[in-house]
Amino acid sequence: MTPTVAVRVDGSPERVAALGSALADALDGGPAVLPLGPDAPEPDVAAGPGTAVVIATSGSTGEPKLVGLSAAAIRASAAATAARLGGPARWLLALPAEHVAGINVIARALLAGAPPVVQDLHAGFRPDDFAAACAELGDGRRYTSLVPTQLLRVLDGDGPALDALRGFDAVLVGGAALEAGLRARAVEAGARIVTTYGMSETCGGCVYDGVPLDGVVVDLDPDGRVLLGGPTLAGGYLGRPDETAAAFADGRFRTGDLGRWADGRLEILGRADDVIITGGEKIAPAAVERVLAAQPGVRATCVVGVPDPEWGQAVAAVVVRDGTDGGWAEPLRAAVRAELGRAAVPRRMLEVAEIPVRGIGKPDRSAVTQLVTRGGDDLHSSG
């Protein structure tokens, strides 16, 4: 077994530098590195031969697992990313370093010849700090990686942060679905947006703007489940042989996501576990979210299924809006009805100030379900 060095990070440049040093050693054949957040428990774990990085999954369903990534997978991911984006560049790290997207930024920067410039996240993501960190990148090509919530804050902040965003040759956006309206707004503002899809088990993003990176294989099983393969694939879950065998088979990782091909690009329809069955009809929350997010005044939305005595489950949505006008719910329902049919119309809708998130920025659907369930007077129910 390979020894594992745990490095605790807290968002500060100093701790990221320590992680970067350990990662460089691991990529050269040294002990595997396990990045941990400030409050995460430290597991007693030894990695398998060839493992360079151990990453805890975000735990979207069940207990987080420990994923073992080889140096070869990390190098393949970095090389494929550079090839797709137009060559090596300086990187800005604006993500938590304990997540796979953060460790990837560090690895890509190191393999391109220089450590990343690090935005201090000790007190959270702030647009002004983003702008200040960008000023340290110097001349030449520059890349960064953000989650949709960060992108929204930069756009809302305008001023120096937005100017800094425009200066990147590519802004990777992943960790959660990027709504079409937010992407359009960013592109209109002059940002070069690249959406990414992937997970810890695939060494992070391996499909860019719906197109697999060089060497990455994407298949769909008969149920529409997305299967991913290629040189960026993880070796499996540490200490969980049964789950490894179930998820990794025939050179493919069986994701929890449903997808389809549209005009030669992979379109993610949402997680299989999130599908809502209402009155016998199957509804993909992501499809409803896309319709809602495209409506005027809607800044963000999240759709979930909640128990319903008549329908089994009811479609419910929380919405972040621009305006203060009344009567907003029915036009949104009408848009969903026109595009997806009556079964997909949210029977319950709640306006919120922001969508609850977890981990690196994924919508917290459990928290959203609780919000809708206890929405009280703010809940707009349809008859």
Side-chain angles (χ1 to χ4, degrees):
M1 302 298 285
T2 302
T4 303
V5 175
V7 179
R8 201 167 290 279
V9 289
D10 59 5
S12 67
E14 295 78 17
R15 295 310 304 160
V16 171
L19 176 58
S21 178
L23 176 59
D25 190 24
L27 292 174
D28 287 337
V33 60
L34 168 63
L36 294 171
D39 301 318
E42 182 174 340
D44 182 13
V45 61
T51 301
V53 174
V54 177
I55 288 285
T57 66
S58 59
S60 57
T61 56
E63 181 184 353
K65 308 177 187 71
L66 296 176
V67 178
L69 297 170
S70 68
I74 294 169
R75 290 179 181 274
S77 176
T81 293
R84 179 63 55 86
L85 298 183
R90 290 298 309 276
W91 281 86
L92 171 73
L93 176 64
L95 297 172
E98 66 269 27
H99 293 285
V100 70
I103 204 76
N104 265 336
V105 168
I106 300 172
R108 292 164 182 167
L110 293 173
L111 293 171
V117 171
V118 180
Q119 177 181 350
D120 193 335
L121 299 176
H122 191 264
F125 180 86
R126 296 175 177 173
D128 288 346
D129 295 337
F130 176 79
C134 291
E136 301 178 28
L137 284 167
D139 297 328
R141 294 186 67 79
R142 52 175 64 183
Y143 306 142
T144 193
S145 186
L146 302 174
V147 296
T149 301
Q150 293 173 318
L151 178 62
L152 177 61
R153 290 178 183 174
V154 170
L155 293 172
D156 284 347
D158 205 348
L162 184 53
D163 289 340
L165 187 75
R166 295 188 183 106
F168 284 94
D169 294 275
V171 179
L172 307 185
V173 182
L178 177 61
E179 294 173 343
L182 179 56
R183 175 171 186 155
R185 183 182 169 196
V187 171
E188 184 177 355
R192 300 173 181 88
I193 301 297
V194 178
T195 59
T196 71
Y197 168 71
M199 55 281 301
S200 299
E201 293 88 343
T202 61
C203 203
C206 61
V207 178
Y208 284 13
D209 285 337
V211 179
L213 294 178
D214 294 346
V216 172
V217 179
V218 178
D219 294 319
L220 301 178
D221 74 7
D223 296 325
R225 186 82 61 121
V226 178
L227 309 176
L228 299 173
T232 68
L233 209 60
Y237 301 120
L238 275 61
R240 299 192 181 199
D242 292 343
E243 292 180 64
T244 295
F248 296 84
D250 301 322
R252 302 286 189 272
F253 171 67
R254 189 170 187 266
T255 75
D257 298 317
L258 300 175
R260 68 182 179 188
W261 293 104
D263 298 324
R265 295 178 184 269
L266 178 67
E267 181 181 335
I268 301 300
L269 302 176
R271 290 192 61 82
D273 293 340
D274 292 335
V275 170
I276 302 166
I277 302 178
T278 178
E281 299 277 351
K282 292 184 178 180
I283 305 298
V288 183
E289 289 167 356
R290 278 192 286 272
V291 175
L292 293 175
Q295 305 312 306
V298 176
R299 295 169 60 84
T301 183
C302 182
V303 173
V304 297
V306 296
D308 185 273
E310 180 179 0
W311 302 96
Q313 283 184 300
V315 180
V318 294
V319 178
V320 180
R321 299 173 55 247
D322 275 333
T324 57
D325 55 303
W328 57 271
E330 286 311 315
L332 297 185
R333 288 194 176 98
V336 174
R337 184 180 298 108
E339 188 160 339
L340 301 177
R342 186 165 180 241
V345 175
R347 299 184 63 80
R348 307 181 192 181
M349 301 185 75
L350 178 67
E351 183 175 3
V352 295
E354 59 183 15
I355 304 295
V357 297
R358 57 175 176 77
I360 202 171
K362 294 181 175 67
D364 188 334
R365 295 185 182 274
S366 295
V368 168
T369 300
Q370 293 176 19
L371 279 175
V372 174
T373 302
R374 65 170 188 260
D377 294 338
D378 294 324
L379 196 65
H380 295 257
S381 295
S382 62

